[in-house]
Amino acid sequence: MEIMDSSAAMAADRFSNTVGTVTASVEALSFRLPVHVGDVLKTVSKVVYTGHTSMVIKVDIYRYDRGLGDPELCNSAHFIFVAMDADRKPTPVPALEVTTDADKQACEIAKTVREQSLKIKSLE
């Protein structure tokens, strides 16, 4: 999970082009396959939804069993990040350009994930 958070942070920082970002929540974390010592990992992180100051980043982790063979999807999650300014206050992020059907579907899923996250937070 630490690797996923680091990968998501890099995508969030690069997309937002701000002083920094912070992890607000991790949603829909799915462990599909175990990762073993010696496996080679590939991370794929992509901003799939933006709000005013927040971003949803989809992170997939693929493993190459002991560094051999084809990659297998082993973990995936949606991370919600907030962009910060120099005073550590939330700051606006650029609008996400959604052009392909796959991007539109990922954006809709991420929007639902974000809405569910906000509902859960409102219960606290």
Side-chain angles (χ1 to χ4, degrees), residues 47-82:
V47 176
V48 292
Y49 176 83
T50 56
H52 181 65
T53 62
S54 65
M55 300 158 279
V56 178
I57 295 91
K58 174 75 163 55
V59 181
D60 292 320
I61 301 289
Y62 297 86
R63 74 171 188 188
Y64 294 83
D65 189 11
R66 307 289 189 250
L68 305 171
D70 294 327
E72 300 174 288
L73 179 63
C74 57
N75 299 334
S76 62
H78 286 88
F79 285 73
I80 300 175
F81 275 73
V82 175

Short mmCIF file of all heavy atoms in Angstrom, two decimals, residues 47-82:
data_model
loop_
_atom_site.label_atom_id
_atom_site.label_comp_id
_atom_site.label_asym_id
_atom_site.label_seq_id
_atom_site.Cartn_x
_atom_site.Cartn_y
_atom_site.Cartn_z
N VAL A 47 -4.54 10.09 -12.96
CA VAL A 47 -5.62 10.96 -12.47
C VAL A 47 -6.83 10.67 -13.34
O VAL A 47 -6.77 10.79 -14.56
CB VAL A 47 -5.22 12.44 -12.54
CG1 VAL A 47 -6.40 13.33 -12.13
CG2 VAL A 47 -4.00 12.72 -11.68
N VAL A 48 -7.94 10.27 -12.69
CA VAL A 48 -9.13 9.90 -13.44
C VAL A 48 -10.33 10.80 -13.15
O VAL A 48 -11.36 10.70 -13.82
CB VAL A 48 -9.51 8.41 -13.20
CG1 VAL A 48 -8.47 7.49 -13.82
CG2 VAL A 48 -9.68 8.11 -11.73
N TYR A 49 -10.18 11.69 -12.16
CA TYR A 49 -11.27 12.63 -11.83
C TYR A 49 -10.67 13.80 -11.07
O TYR A 49 -9.75 13.62 -10.28
CB TYR A 49 -12.33 11.94 -10.95
CG TYR A 49 -13.43 12.86 -10.49
CD1 TYR A 49 -14.52 13.12 -11.32
CD2 TYR A 49 -13.37 13.48 -9.25
CE1 TYR A 49 -15.52 13.98 -10.91
CE2 TYR A 49 -14.39 14.34 -8.84
CZ TYR A 49 -15.46 14.58 -9.67
OH TYR A 49 -16.45 15.43 -9.27
N THR A 50 -11.21 15.00 -11.33
CA THR A 50 -10.80 16.17 -10.55
C THR A 50 -12.02 16.91 -10.04
O THR A 50 -13.04 16.99 -10.72
CB THR A 50 -9.93 17.15 -11.38
OG1 THR A 50 -10.65 17.53 -12.55
CG2 THR A 50 -8.60 16.53 -11.76
N GLY A 51 -11.87 17.42 -8.83
CA GLY A 51 -12.84 18.33 -8.25
C GLY A 51 -12.23 19.72 -8.28
O GLY A 51 -11.39 20.01 -9.15
N HIS A 52 -12.58 20.55 -7.33
CA HIS A 52 -12.01 21.90 -7.28
C HIS A 52 -10.56 21.87 -6.79
O HIS A 52 -9.66 22.42 -7.44
CB HIS A 52 -12.86 22.81 -6.37
CG HIS A 52 -12.36 24.21 -6.28
ND1 HIS A 52 -12.34 25.06 -7.36
CD2 HIS A 52 -11.82 24.90 -5.24
CE1 HIS A 52 -11.82 26.22 -7.00
NE2 HIS A 52 -11.51 26.14 -5.71
N THR A 53 -10.31 21.19 -5.67
CA THR A 53 -8.95 21.08 -5.12
C THR A 53 -8.50 19.64 -4.98
O THR A 53 -7.38 19.38 -4.56
CB THR A 53 -8.86 21.75 -3.73
OG1 THR A 53 -9.74 21.06 -2.82
CG2 THR A 53 -9.21 23.23 -3.80
N SER A 54 -9.38 18.70 -5.33
CA SER A 54 -9.05 17.29 -5.14
C SER A 54 -8.93 16.55 -6.46
O SER A 54 -9.42 17.00 -7.50
CB SER A 54 -10.12 16.62 -4.28
OG SER A 54 -11.35 16.61 -4.95
N MET A 55 -8.25 15.41 -6.37
CA MET A 55 -8.06 14.53 -7.52
C MET A 55 -8.27 13.09 -7.06
O MET A 55 -7.89 12.74 -5.95
CB MET A 55 -6.62 14.65 -8.05
CG MET A 55 -6.22 16.02 -8.52
SD MET A 55 -4.41 16.21 -8.50
CE MET A 55 -4.17 16.57 -6.77
N VAL A 56 -8.83 12.29 -7.94
CA VAL A 56 -8.91 10.86 -7.69
C VAL A 56 -7.91 10.20 -8.63
O VAL A 56 -7.94 10.43 -9.85
CB VAL A 56 -10.32 10.29 -7.93
CG1 VAL A 56 -10.34 8.79 -7.70
CG2 VAL A 56 -11.34 11.00 -7.04
N ILE A 57 -7.02 9.41 -8.04
CA ILE A 57 -5.98 8.73 -8.81
C ILE A 57 -6.24 7.24 -8.73
O ILE A 57 -6.35 6.67 -7.64
CB ILE A 57 -4.56 9.05 -8.28
CG1 ILE A 57 -4.23 10.54 -8.48
CG2 ILE A 57 -3.52 8.22 -9.00
CD1 ILE A 57 -4.57 11.40 -7.35
N LYS A 58 -6.35 6.60 -9.88
CA LYS A 58 -6.51 5.13 -9.96
C LYS A 58 -5.10 4.54 -10.00
O LYS A 58 -4.27 4.95 -10.81
CB LYS A 58 -7.28 4.76 -11.22
CG LYS A 58 -7.38 3.27 -11.49
CD LYS A 58 -8.38 2.61 -10.58
CE LYS A 58 -8.86 1.26 -11.00
NZ LYS A 58 -7.95 0.23 -11.26
N VAL A 59 -4.85 3.60 -9.11
CA VAL A 59 -3.54 2.96 -9.04
C VAL A 59 -3.72 1.46 -9.23
O VAL A 59 -4.53 0.83 -8.55
CB VAL A 59 -2.84 3.22 -7.69
CG1 VAL A 59 -1.47 2.56 -7.65
CG2 VAL A 59 -2.73 4.71 -7.41
N ASP A 60 -2.98 0.91 -10.18
CA ASP A 60 -2.93 -0.53 -10.39
C ASP A 60 -1.50 -1.00 -10.18
O ASP A 60 -0.54 -0.33 -10.62
CB ASP A 60 -3.35 -0.90 -11.81
CG ASP A 60 -4.83 -0.63 -12.08
OD1 ASP A 60 -5.64 -0.91 -11.17
OD2 ASP A 60 -5.16 -0.16 -13.17
N ILE A 61 -1.36 -2.13 -9.51
CA ILE A 61 -0.05 -2.74 -9.30
C ILE A 61 -0.06 -4.08 -10.03
O ILE A 61 -0.94 -4.91 -9.82
CB ILE A 61 0.25 -2.98 -7.80
CG1 ILE A 61 0.20 -1.69 -7.01
CG2 ILE A 61 1.58 -3.71 -7.62
CD1 ILE A 61 1.35 -0.76 -7.27
N TYR A 62 0.95 -4.25 -10.88
CA TYR A 62 1.14 -5.50 -11.59
C TYR A 62 2.38 -6.18 -11.05
O TYR A 62 3.36 -5.50 -10.70
CB TYR A 62 1.31 -5.24 -13.09
CG TYR A 62 0.10 -4.62 -13.73
CD1 TYR A 62 -0.09 -3.24 -13.73
CD2 TYR A 62 -0.86 -5.42 -14.34
CE1 TYR A 62 -1.21 -2.67 -14.32
CE2 TYR A 62 -1.98 -4.85 -14.94
CZ TYR A 62 -2.14 -3.49 -14.92
OH TYR A 62 -3.25 -2.92 -15.50
N ARG A 63 2.37 -7.49 -11.01
CA ARG A 63 3.55 -8.23 -10.58
C ARG A 63 4.02 -9.11 -11.73
O ARG A 63 3.24 -9.61 -12.53
CB ARG A 63 3.26 -9.08 -9.36
CG ARG A 63 2.44 -10.31 -9.67
CD ARG A 63 2.35 -11.27 -8.51
NE ARG A 63 1.71 -12.49 -9.02
CZ ARG A 63 1.33 -13.46 -8.28
NH1 ARG A 63 1.49 -13.42 -6.97
NH2 ARG A 63 0.76 -14.53 -8.81
N TYR A 64 5.32 -9.25 -11.78
CA TYR A 64 5.96 -10.23 -12.63
C TYR A 64 6.48 -11.28 -11.68
O TYR A 64 7.39 -11.01 -10.90
CB TYR A 64 7.11 -9.60 -13.42
CG TYR A 64 6.67 -8.57 -14.44
CD1 TYR A 64 6.44 -7.25 -14.06
CD2 TYR A 64 6.51 -8.91 -15.76
CE1 TYR A 64 6.04 -6.30 -14.99
CE2 TYR A 64 6.12 -7.96 -16.71
CZ TYR A 64 5.89 -6.65 -16.30
OH TYR A 64 5.50 -5.71 -17.22
N ASP A 65 5.87 -12.46 -11.68
CA ASP A 65 6.23 -13.52 -10.76
C ASP A 65 7.72 -13.82 -10.85
O ASP A 65 8.20 -14.30 -11.87
CB ASP A 65 5.41 -14.78 -11.08
CG ASP A 65 5.56 -15.87 -10.04
OD1 ASP A 65 6.13 -15.60 -8.96
OD2 ASP A 65 5.10 -16.99 -10.32
N ARG A 66 8.44 -13.46 -9.78
CA ARG A 66 9.89 -13.66 -9.69
C ARG A 66 10.62 -13.00 -10.87
O ARG A 66 11.68 -13.43 -11.28
CB ARG A 66 10.26 -15.14 -9.62
CG ARG A 66 9.56 -15.91 -8.54
CD ARG A 66 10.08 -15.53 -7.16
NE ARG A 66 9.55 -16.43 -6.15
CZ ARG A 66 8.66 -16.07 -5.23
NH1 ARG A 66 8.21 -14.86 -5.20
NH2 ARG A 66 8.23 -16.92 -4.34
N GLY A 67 9.99 -11.97 -11.42
CA GLY A 67 10.62 -11.22 -12.50
C GLY A 67 10.44 -11.84 -13.87
O GLY A 67 10.96 -11.34 -14.85
N LEU A 68 9.69 -12.94 -13.96
CA LEU A 68 9.52 -13.65 -15.22
C LEU A 68 8.06 -13.63 -15.65
O LEU A 68 7.16 -13.40 -14.85
CB LEU A 68 9.98 -15.11 -15.07
CG LEU A 68 11.41 -15.31 -14.57
CD1 LEU A 68 11.65 -16.78 -14.25
CD2 LEU A 68 12.40 -14.79 -15.58
N GLY A 69 7.82 -13.90 -16.90
CA GLY A 69 6.45 -14.05 -17.38
C GLY A 69 5.74 -12.74 -17.63
O GLY A 69 6.33 -11.66 -17.61
N ASP A 70 4.45 -12.87 -17.87
CA ASP A 70 3.61 -11.72 -18.16
C ASP A 70 3.15 -11.05 -16.87
O ASP A 70 2.99 -11.72 -15.85
CB ASP A 70 2.38 -12.16 -18.96
CG ASP A 70 2.75 -12.68 -20.35
OD1 ASP A 70 3.74 -12.17 -20.92
OD2 ASP A 70 2.06 -13.60 -20.84
N PRO A 71 2.90 -9.75 -16.93
CA PRO A 71 2.43 -9.06 -15.72
C PRO A 71 1.01 -9.51 -15.35
O PRO A 71 0.19 -9.78 -16.23
CB PRO A 71 2.46 -7.59 -16.11
CG PRO A 71 2.34 -7.59 -17.59
CD PRO A 71 3.01 -8.85 -18.06
N GLU A 72 0.75 -9.58 -14.04
CA GLU A 72 -0.57 -9.92 -13.53
C GLU A 72 -1.03 -8.80 -12.62
O GLU A 72 -0.28 -8.36 -11.75
CB GLU A 72 -0.52 -11.21 -12.72
CG GLU A 72 -0.04 -12.43 -13.47
CD GLU A 72 0.11 -13.62 -12.53
OE1 GLU A 72 1.05 -13.62 -11.72
OE2 GLU A 72 -0.73 -14.53 -12.62
N LEU A 73 -2.27 -8.35 -12.80
CA LEU A 73 -2.82 -7.32 -11.92
C LEU A 73 -3.01 -7.93 -10.54
O LEU A 73 -3.70 -8.93 -10.39
CB LEU A 73 -4.15 -6.80 -12.46
CG LEU A 73 -4.85 -5.74 -11.63
CD1 LEU A 73 -4.00 -4.47 -11.54
CD2 LEU A 73 -6.22 -5.42 -12.21
N CYS A 74 -2.38 -7.34 -9.53
CA CYS A 74 -2.51 -7.91 -8.19
C CYS A 74 -3.21 -6.98 -7.21
O CYS A 74 -3.89 -7.46 -6.31
CB CYS A 74 -1.15 -8.36 -7.64
SG CYS A 74 0.10 -7.10 -7.59
N ASN A 75 -3.10 -5.67 -7.35
CA ASN A 75 -3.75 -4.72 -6.45
C ASN A 75 -4.26 -3.53 -7.24
O ASN A 75 -3.62 -3.11 -8.21
CB ASN A 75 -2.79 -4.19 -5.39
CG ASN A 75 -2.22 -5.25 -4.49
OD1 ASN A 75 -2.82 -6.29 -4.30
ND2 ASN A 75 -1.05 -5.00 -3.95
N SER A 76 -5.37 -2.97 -6.77
CA SER A 76 -5.84 -1.72 -7.37
C SER A 76 -6.60 -0.94 -6.30
O SER A 76 -7.12 -1.51 -5.34
CB SER A 76 -6.73 -1.97 -8.59
OG SER A 76 -7.87 -2.70 -8.22
N ALA A 77 -6.62 0.38 -6.48
CA ALA A 77 -7.32 1.25 -5.53
C ALA A 77 -7.52 2.62 -6.16
O ALA A 77 -6.87 2.98 -7.15
CB ALA A 77 -6.55 1.39 -4.23
N HIS A 78 -8.40 3.39 -5.54
CA HIS A 78 -8.57 4.80 -5.86
C HIS A 78 -8.06 5.60 -4.67
O HIS A 78 -8.50 5.37 -3.54
CB HIS A 78 -10.04 5.13 -6.12
CG HIS A 78 -10.54 4.62 -7.42
ND1 HIS A 78 -11.06 3.35 -7.57
CD2 HIS A 78 -10.62 5.20 -8.64
CE1 HIS A 78 -11.42 3.18 -8.82
NE2 HIS A 78 -11.17 4.29 -9.49
N PHE A 79 -7.16 6.53 -4.92
CA PHE A 79 -6.63 7.41 -3.89
C PHE A 79 -7.17 8.81 -4.15
O PHE A 79 -7.18 9.27 -5.29
CB PHE A 79 -5.09 7.46 -3.96
CG PHE A 79 -4.43 6.23 -3.42
CD1 PHE A 79 -4.45 5.04 -4.13
CD2 PHE A 79 -3.75 6.27 -2.21
CE1 PHE A 79 -3.83 3.90 -3.64
CE2 PHE A 79 -3.12 5.13 -1.71
CZ PHE A 79 -3.17 3.94 -2.42
N ILE A 80 -7.60 9.47 -3.10
CA ILE A 80 -8.07 10.85 -3.22
C ILE A 80 -7.01 11.76 -2.61
O ILE A 80 -6.60 11.57 -1.46
CB ILE A 80 -9.44 11.05 -2.53
CG1 ILE A 80 -10.47 10.11 -3.18
CG2 ILE A 80 -9.87 12.52 -2.62
CD1 ILE A 80 -11.82 10.12 -2.52
N PHE A 81 -6.54 12.70 -3.42
CA PHE A 81 -5.51 13.65 -3.00
C PHE A 81 -6.06 15.06 -3.06
O PHE A 81 -6.94 15.35 -3.86
CB PHE A 81 -4.29 13.56 -3.94
CG PHE A 81 -3.31 12.49 -3.55
CD1 PHE A 81 -3.61 11.16 -3.75
CD2 PHE A 81 -2.10 12.82 -2.98
CE1 PHE A 81 -2.72 10.16 -3.39
CE2 PHE A 81 -1.20 11.84 -2.62
CZ PHE A 81 -1.50 10.51 -2.82
N VAL A 82 -5.50 15.93 -2.23
CA VAL A 82 -5.84 17.35 -2.24
C VAL A 82 -4.56 18.12 -2.54
O VAL A 82 -3.50 17.86 -1.96
CB VAL A 82 -6.44 17.79 -0.89
CG1 VAL A 82 -6.68 19.29 -0.86
CG2 VAL A 82 -7.74 17.04 -0.61
#
